[in-house]
Coordinates of all heavy atoms in Angstrom, one line a residue:
G298 N 123.3 163.7 95.4 CA 122.8 162.3 95.7 C 121.6 162.1 94.7 O 120.8 162.9 94.5
C299 N 121.6 160.9 94.1 CA 120.6 160.5 93.2 C 120.2 159.1 93.5 O 121.0 158.2 93.8 CB 121.1 160.6 91.7 SG 119.9 160.4 90.5
C300 N 118.9 158.8 93.5 CA 118.4 157.5 93.9 C 118.9 156.5 92.9 O 118.9 156.7 91.7 CB 116.9 157.6 93.9 SG 116.1 155.9 94.2
D301 N 119.3 155.3 93.4 CA 119.8 154.2 92.6 C 118.6 153.5 91.9 O 118.8 152.9 90.9 CB 120.6 153.2 93.4 CG 121.9 153.8 93.9 OD1 122.4 154.7 93.3 OD2 122.3 153.4 95.0
G302 N 117.4 153.6 92.4 CA 116.3 152.9 91.9 C 115.6 153.6 90.7 O 115.3 153.0 89.7
C303 N 115.4 154.9 90.8 CA 114.7 155.7 89.8 C 115.4 156.8 89.2 O 114.9 157.5 88.3 CB 113.4 156.2 90.4 SG 113.7 157.5 91.7
G304 N 116.7 157.0 89.6 CA 117.5 158.1 89.0 C 117.0 159.5 89.4 O 117.2 160.4 88.8
G305 N 116.3 159.5 90.6 CA 115.8 160.8 91.1 C 114.5 161.3 90.5 O 114.0 162.3 90.9
L306 N 113.8 160.4 89.7 CA 112.5 160.8 89.2 C 111.3 160.4 90.1 O 110.2 160.9 89.8 CB 112.3 160.1 87.8 CG 113.3 160.5 86.7 CD1 113.1 159.6 85.5 CD2 113.2 161.9 86.4
R307 N 111.6 159.6 91.1 CA 110.6 159.2 92.1 C 109.5 158.3 91.6 O 108.7 157.8 92.3 CB 110.0 160.4 92.8 CG 111.0 161.2 93.5 CD 110.5 162.4 94.2 NE 109.3 162.1 95.0 CZ 108.6 162.9 95.7 NH1 108.9 164.2 95.7 NH2 107.6 162.6 96.4
F308 N 109.5 158.0 90.3 CA 108.5 157.0 89.7 C 109.2 156.1 88.7 O 110.2 156.5 88.1 CB 107.4 157.7 89.0 CG 106.4 158.5 89.9 CD1 106.6 159.8 90.3 CD2 105.3 157.8 90.4 CE1 105.8 160.5 91.1 CE2 104.4 158.5 91.3 CZ 104.7 159.8 91.6
F309 N 108.7 155.0 88.4 CA 109.1 154.1 87.4 C 108.0 153.3 86.9 O 107.0 153.1 87.5 CB 110.4 153.3 87.8 CG 110.2 152.4 89.0 CD1 109.7 151.1 88.8 CD2 110.5 152.9 90.2 CE1 109.5 150.3 89.9 CE2 110.3 152.0 91.3 CZ 109.8 150.8 91.2
P310 N 108.1 152.7 85.6 CA 107.0 151.9 85.1 C 106.6 150.7 85.9 O 107.5 150.0 86.5 CB 107.5 151.4 83.7 CG 108.6 152.4 83.4 CD 109.2 152.8 84.7
C311 N 105.3 150.4 86.0 CA 104.8 149.3 86.8 C 105.3 148.0 86.3 O 105.3 147.8 85.0 CB 103.3 149.4 86.7 SG 102.5 148.0 87.6
S312 N 105.8 147.1 87.2 CA 106.3 145.8 86.7 C 105.2 144.8 86.5 O 105.4 143.8 85.8 CB 107.3 145.3 87.8 OG 106.6 145.1 89.0
D313 N 104.0 145.1 87.0 CA 102.9 144.1 86.7 C 102.3 144.3 85.3 O 101.9 143.3 84.6 CB 101.8 144.3 87.8 CG 102.2 143.8 89.1 OD1 103.2 143.2 89.2 OD2 101.4 144.0 90.1
C314 N 102.1 145.6 84.9 CA 101.4 145.8 83.6 C 102.4 146.4 82.6 O 101.9 146.8 81.5 CB 100.2 146.7 83.8 SG 100.6 148.4 84.3
N315 N 103.6 146.6 82.9 CA 104.6 147.3 82.1 C 104.2 148.7 81.6 O 104.5 149.1 80.5 CB 104.9 146.4 80.9 CG 105.6 145.1 81.3 OD1 106.5 145.1 82.2 ND2 105.1 144.0 80.7
G316 N 103.4 149.4 82.4 CA 103.0 150.7 82.1 C 101.7 150.9 81.3 O 101.3 152.0 81.0
S317 N 101.1 149.7 81.0 CA 99.9 149.8 80.1 C 98.6 150.1 80.9 O 97.6 150.4 80.3 CB 99.7 148.5 79.3 OG 99.4 147.5 80.2
C318 N 98.7 149.9 82.2 CA 97.5 150.0 83.1 C 96.5 148.9 82.9 O 95.4 149.0 83.4 CB 96.8 151.4 83.0 SG 97.9 152.8 83.3
K319 N 96.8 147.9 82.2 CA 95.9 146.8 82.0 C 96.6 145.5 82.3 O 97.7 145.2 81.9 CB 95.5 146.8 80.5 CG 94.8 148.0 80.1 CD 94.4 147.9 78.6 CE 93.9 149.3 78.1 NZ 94.7 150.0 77.3
V320 N 95.8 144.6 83.0 CA 96.3 143.2 83.2 C 95.2 142.2 82.8 O 94.0 142.6 82.8 CB 96.7 143.0 84.7 CG1 97.9 143.8 85.1 CG2 95.6 143.4 85.6
V321 N 95.6 141.0 82.5 CA 94.7 140.0 82.0 C 94.4 139.1 83.2 O 95.4 138.6 83.8 CB 95.2 139.2 80.8 CG1 94.3 138.1 80.4 CG2 95.4 140.2 79.7
E322 N 93.2 138.9 83.6 CA 92.8 138.0 84.7 C 92.0 136.9 84.1 O 91.3 137.0 83.1 CB 92.1 138.7 85.8 CG 93.0 139.7 86.5 CD 92.2 140.3 87.7 OE1 91.0 140.2 87.8 OE2 92.9 141.0 88.5
G323 N 92.0 135.7 84.8 CA 91.2 134.6 84.3 C 92.0 133.5 83.8 O 93.2 133.5 83.7
W324 N 91.3 132.5 83.2 CA 92.0 131.3 82.7 C 91.1 130.8 81.5 O 89.9 130.8 81.6 CB 92.1 130.3 83.8 CG 92.9 129.1 83.3 CD1 92.4 127.9 83.0 CD2 94.3 129.0 83.2 NE1 93.5 127.1 82.6 CE2 94.6 127.7 82.8 CE3 95.4 129.9 83.4 CZ2 95.9 127.3 82.6 CZ3 96.6 129.5 83.2 CH2 96.9 128.2 82.8
G325 N 91.8 130.4 80.5 CA 91.1 129.8 79.3 C 90.2 130.8 78.6 O 90.6 131.8 78.2
S326 N 89.0 130.4 78.4 CA 88.0 131.3 77.7 C 87.4 132.4 78.6 O 86.7 133.2 78.1 CB 86.9 130.4 77.1 OG 86.2 129.8 78.2
D327 N 87.8 132.3 79.9 CA 87.3 133.3 80.8 C 88.2 134.5 81.1 O 88.2 135.1 82.1 CB 87.0 132.7 82.2 CG 85.9 131.6 82.1 OD1 85.0 131.8 81.3 OD2 86.0 130.7 82.9
L328 N 89.1 134.8 80.1 CA 90.0 135.9 80.2 C 89.3 137.2 80.2 O 88.5 137.5 79.4 CB 91.1 135.8 79.1 CG 92.0 134.7 79.1 CD1 92.9 134.7 77.9 CD2 92.8 134.7 80.4
V329 N 89.7 138.1 81.1 CA 89.2 139.5 81.2 C 90.3 140.4 81.3 O 91.2 140.2 82.1 CB 88.2 139.6 82.4 CG1 87.7 141.0 82.6 CG2 87.1 138.6 82.3
V330 N 90.3 141.6 80.6 CA 91.3 142.6 80.8 C 90.7 143.6 81.8 O 89.6 144.2 81.6 CB 91.6 143.3 79.4 CG1 92.5 144.4 79.6 CG2 92.1 142.3 78.4
V331 N 91.5 143.9 82.9 CA 91.1 144.8 83.9 C 92.2 145.8 84.1 O 93.3 145.6 83.7 CB 90.7 144.1 85.2 CG1 89.5 143.2 85.0 CG2 91.9 143.3 85.8
R332 N 91.8 146.9 84.8 CA 92.8 147.9 85.1 C 93.7 147.4 86.2 O 93.3 146.8 87.2 CB 92.1 149.2 85.6 CG 93.1 150.3 85.8 CD 92.5 151.5 86.5 NE 93.3 152.7 86.6 CZ 94.5 152.7 87.1 NH1 95.1 151.6 87.5 NH2 95.2 153.8 87.2
C333 N 95.0 147.7 86.1 CA 96.0 147.3 87.0 C 95.8 148.1 88.3 O 95.6 149.3 88.3 CB 97.4 147.6 86.5 SG 98.7 147.2 87.6

Side-chain angles (χ1 to χ4, degrees):
C299 190
C300 176
D301 293 331
C303 66
L306 297 175
R307 297 179 52 181
F308 289 91
F309 56 90
C311 177
S312 60
D313 287 355
C314 68
N315 296 317
S317 72
C318 300
K319 298 177 188 108
V320 291
V321 177
E322 291 184 349
W324 186 257
S326 62
D327 296 329
L328 292 178
V329 176
V330 177
V331 296
R332 189 192 182 305
C333 179

